[in-house]
Amino acid sequence: IFQQETEFSFFVSIVNDGSTDNSPAMLEEYHTSLQASPYYSATEIIHQANQGPSGARNAALRNIRGRYIMFVDSDDTIMPDCLFHLVNVAHRYPTAEIIAAGAKTNWKGFEKQFTMEKPFPDFADNPQWIARTMLMRGGKDGIPVTAWNRLVKKDFLLEHKLLFREGILHEDELWNFMLAPKVSHIAFCKHDTYFYRTRPQSIMTGFRDKDVHAIACLPMWKEMLEHFTPDLEKEQTHSLWQCINDVSPNCRDRIVRKEVFGILMQLTRK
């Protein structure tokens, strides 16, 4: 982050989410090493008890200093020209609540999932199109369901109380689902500005037990179902259906299958 090739100013919030190793000491030591550089005053370290990815992001949101926020997951990196490109697009389209960009990944089979090789305009101000495109959950024509690699206006998030739901898995899915109907203006940066890295034991790829995974997702799916709106019901149904289908097809536990089936039955009625 401190290797950014940009004249734009930025502030870095590093959230230590209850690490049990020597990460807190390493962070403080690193921060102290910045004292002779301008980055020292532009960096803060937030220590808190473990609350998961949602709690870490919410801590940053509550302490935000700038007009926009961008999340960077601890496994990932950003390109040296990331902020240069994103902020330039933000200046070009000041009404955009979100500036989305492309990303590279080491996730085999998903190399094109996060790129900007899609038929997106430079700017869109049609709320219906924006919501539909966000609810596609990626694919060849949709915007990826991620919290990272976007500039999002601080005032927009706070006005609509769009914090992350804590204590659930796949919080990005729910956040994106709640975000989609609220966005009126979006701009696209046609550069890959982020590198999304997967690891065998990460939260996203570490699940081997499909039943456990589905149980962890049930609260999110039920909450998504409660927030359907008449004008986007078709797109929201598609989004939730795909979300469930990514996790539940191989469930074996009868109780889990019954819960999932109940949600799917409600979807078919819609």
Side-chain angles (χ1 to χ4, degrees), residues 35-90:
Q35 282 184 334
S37 80
Y39 294 126
Y40 180 75
S41 59
T43 306
E44 69 175 349
I45 299 172
I46 301 171
H47 297 285
Q48 64 180 28
N50 180 256
Q51 298 174 48
S54 291
R57 289 172 181 159
N58 288 341
L61 272 171
R62 295 187 183 102
N63 290 274
I64 189 170
R65 310 280 182 95
R67 286 179 291 168
Y68 296 88
I69 191 166
M70 177 183 180
F71 298 106
V72 181
D73 285 358
S74 58
D75 292 339
D76 304 338
T77 59
I78 59 176
M79 307 304 182
D81 55 2
C82 171
L83 293 181
F84 172 80
H85 289 303
L86 285 171
V87 178
N88 266 316
V89 174

Side-chain angles (χ1 to χ4, degrees), residues 196-207:
Y196 173 55
R197 187 167 68 94
T198 60
R199 297 182 296 109
Q201 296 306 315
S202 71
I203 293 175
M204 288 299 297
T205 58
F207 274 97

Side-chain angles (χ1 to χ4, degrees), residues 4-247:
Q4 288 299 293
E5 299 167 356
T6 179
E7 72 274 19
F8 301 118
S9 61
F10 57 91
F11 191 90
V12 179
S13 294
I14 304 172
V15 182
N16 164 42
D17 189 45
S19 299
T20 56
D21 55 15
N22 64 338
S23 294
M26 291 174 63
L27 286 173
E28 295 294 347
E29 182 180 349
Y30 180 72
H31 191 208
T32 301
S33 73
L34 296 173
Q35 282 184 334
S37 80
Y39 294 126
Y40 180 75
S41 59
T43 306
E44 69 175 349
I45 299 172
I46 301 171
H47 297 285
Q48 64 180 28
N50 180 256
Q51 298 174 48
S54 291
R57 289 172 181 159
N58 288 341
L61 272 171
R62 295 187 183 102
N63 290 274
I64 189 170
R65 310 280 182 95
R67 286 179 291 168
Y68 296 88
I69 191 166
M70 177 183 180
F71 298 106
V72 181
D73 285 358
S74 58
D75 292 339
D76 304 338
T77 59
I78 59 176
M79 307 304 182
D81 55 2
C82 171
L83 293 181
F84 172 80
H85 289 303
L86 285 171
V87 178
N88 266 316
V89 174
H91 282 182
R92 198 175 308 133
Y93 303 106
T95 59
E97 293 99 356
I98 294 177
I99 295 90
K104 296 182 182 297
T105 182
N106 66 336
W107 194 359
K108 290 186 178 180
F110 289 83
E111 290 85 353
K112 293 189 178 295
Q113 171 80 357
F114 305 110
T115 69
M116 276 293 129
E117 297 176 12
K118 298 180 181 182
F120 293 149
D122 292 336
F123 175 77
D125 57 1
N126 181 330
Q128 195 76 11
W129 179 88
I130 295 170
R132 286 200 306 268
T133 306
M134 292 181 69
L135 290 168
M136 285 182 186
R137 301 180 67 251
K140 65 175 183 174
D141 297 319
I143 300 170
V145 183
T146 65
W148 43 259
N149 201 33
R150 300 174 175 181
L151 287 186
V152 187
K153 277 188 174 178
K154 171 189 71 174
D155 292 343
F156 167 73
L157 290 177
L158 298 180
E159 176 188 351
H160 294 287
K161 298 180 174 60
L162 289 167
L163 295 177
F164 291 86
R165 183 75 71 248
E166 298 183 19
I168 65 170
L169 194 65
H170 294 291
E171 70 288 339
D172 289 9
E173 292 271 8
L174 179 59
W175 188 70
N176 187 79
F177 191 89
M178 305 295 283
L179 193 68
K182 308 290 185 185
V183 182
S184 300
H185 308 81
I186 190 170
F188 295 94
C189 173
K190 303 302 177 67
H191 294 271
D192 291 332
T193 58
Y194 194 96
F195 188 84
Y196 173 55
R197 187 167 68 94
T198 60
R199 297 182 296 109
Q201 296 306 315
S202 71
I203 293 175
M204 288 299 297
T205 58
F207 274 97
R208 294 293 178 266
D209 189 322
K210 297 295 183 181
D211 293 330
V212 172
H213 197 175
I215 289 170
C217 291
L218 284 172
M220 175 194 65
W221 295 337
K222 291 177 179 179
E223 185 162 352
M224 289 169 74
L225 194 60
E226 292 170 1
H227 286 88
F228 272 46
T229 56
D231 56 329
L232 289 171
E233 198 168 88
K234 179 180 177 181
E235 291 80 8
Q236 289 167 327
T237 299
H238 168 82
S239 182
L240 179 51
W241 183 281
Q242 290 297 318
C243 185
I244 293 173
N245 193 56
D246 283 349
V247 174

